[in-house]
Amino acid sequence: MKFFLGLSFLVAALFARAELSLPRLERSGRLVLPYAVQSMAWQPNGHLFAIGFFMKDEVSVWNIKEKKHVFSVRSNRLSANLSGQEILFSLDGRYLITQDFSDSKAGSPPFPKVLNSPQELNARKDMQRYVLAKVWDLETRKEVATIKGPGSIKHGGRHIGMCLFDNGRLLVLLRKGGFTTYELPSGEMIRDVDLSHPFSDHPKVGRSYEKMACNPSGNEIALAGLQFFRDAEKFGYVNWSGATAIVVADVRKGSVKKVLLSETPLNGVVYTKSGNYLASFGKPPIRVWNAAADFQLTGVVNDPSLNSGNLVAAGDSERAFGIADQAYIWDLAQLRKVARFDIPRDVIRVAEKDNNYAIAEGNTVHFFKLAP
């Protein structure tokens, strides 16, 4: 009897130690705002935190350590909130880049309505037509550059993602059918890249894109395309099944490096902080590719059983923090779930910096610290 009692205490102690060794998500504060939050960004080397609002043409900058408002800037939206409020700090922390949308020619000539419209080709060539983003100096709180680009059926009106490379000197904007690169902080356009036909074995099959992931260790982006529909069978899938392409592109060369395929619809893609792994998420499972080994499929993570809505790189590891029915940490190198946390319901956006997490729920931002 004493033996079994001793064994039970030992097992209980081991489980307690294992429980203590799991990461813990500790609350570190919250910010209640007058409007619903649409986007968030941390200043890389400081205390500033930027927030974009749903259905409001404004980006608000806060001192997050003191929970004090610092200043706000205008961010114009496309109608129905299809643009505006995507935000990014420069890597040196000196500038804030805010998504914008305004027509420099006030609607004349009109935006092309169909791909074969007579205005389409001219629209593609007009590199100054639309204001896509603005660069703000955080010290002077003044606009220092305007990012402009073409608007056409191929480009779409707004841009739908931002990345920084070359120590923050190169800005990449995702457009509907490719990407455009700019010099910072001047805002001068460098290159407009068309990736609307990325398949070498099916050159007539076109694609447009919705999400972009930035590789932090190289000049590389991964673009999640719209689902295949009638074209799915060309790639070995059932038509209308939700199969989706992921196009990996070289930012410097403006060329396709690799095309990956997901059997399921996606909400997006994400690189780990090392840049060694790329994961796609949406309808389970999460797929993981080894970006350091020619994007060989490493495997899948079968958790969660529900749709994974947000996934961000976690800390300096090969882990990712994501939202499904609750919050999870997954180890993408080992293809396993590390921890699960209860979080507020109706989370719409997550932002991470140094294992600090901002989780937006309606008009409230909840802040958490990940403790080892």
Side-chain angles (χ1 to χ4, degrees), residues 136-315:
W136 304 86
D137 186 297
L138 291 172
E139 184 175 353
T140 64
R141 303 178 188 177
K142 293 182 178 180
E143 179 185 335
V144 294
T146 302
I147 307 294
K148 294 182 179 181
S152 67
I153 297 297
K154 181 180 76 71
H155 287 91
R158 62 193 175 110
H159 79 80
I160 44 182
M162 296 189 283
C163 289
L164 290 172
F165 295 101
D166 284 355
N167 294 319
R169 295 187 296 268
L170 182 68
L171 173 68
V172 177
L173 298 187
L174 173 62
R175 306 300 303 275
K176 182 179 177 182
F179 65 93
T180 310
T181 59
Y182 299 85
E183 182 184 68
L184 284 183
S186 70
E188 181 180 350
M189 182 185 290
I190 299 172
R191 173 182 288 174
D192 186 50
V193 179
D194 182 359
L195 293 179
S196 55
H197 291 84
F199 310 108
S200 58
D201 51 344
H202 296 287
K204 293 184 179 180
V205 175
R207 222 46 356 220
S208 60
Y209 305 98
E210 290 186 314
K211 301 289 184 179
M212 175 170 63
C214 321
N215 189 329
S217 65
N219 296 310
E220 176 184 284
I221 55 177
L223 310 180
L226 290 173
Q227 299 176 30
F228 292 113
F229 293 105
R230 292 188 178 89
D231 291 322
E233 63 183 7
K234 295 182 174 66
F235 299 88
Y237 300 103
V238 176
N239 283 347
W240 308 90
S241 62
T244 308
I246 301 167
V247 176
V248 181
D250 186 307
V251 171
R252 283 286 187 194
K253 296 179 180 178
S255 60
V256 174
K257 292 181 66 173
K258 197 80 175 182
V259 175
L260 311 171
L261 296 171
S262 166
E263 297 178 8
T264 54
L266 299 180
N267 291 335
V269 284
V270 64
Y271 283 95
T272 57
K273 289 287 183 72
S274 67
N276 289 333
Y277 293 93
L278 174 70
S280 65
F281 57 95
K283 184 177 179 180
I286 296 171
R287 289 174 177 80
V288 182
W289 288 271
N290 190 333
D294 196 34
F295 293 92
Q296 296 178 21
L297 182 64
T298 302
V300 301
V301 181
N302 288 312
D303 274 328
S305 58
L306 300 176
N307 182 62
S308 51
N310 289 277
L311 201 66
V312 298

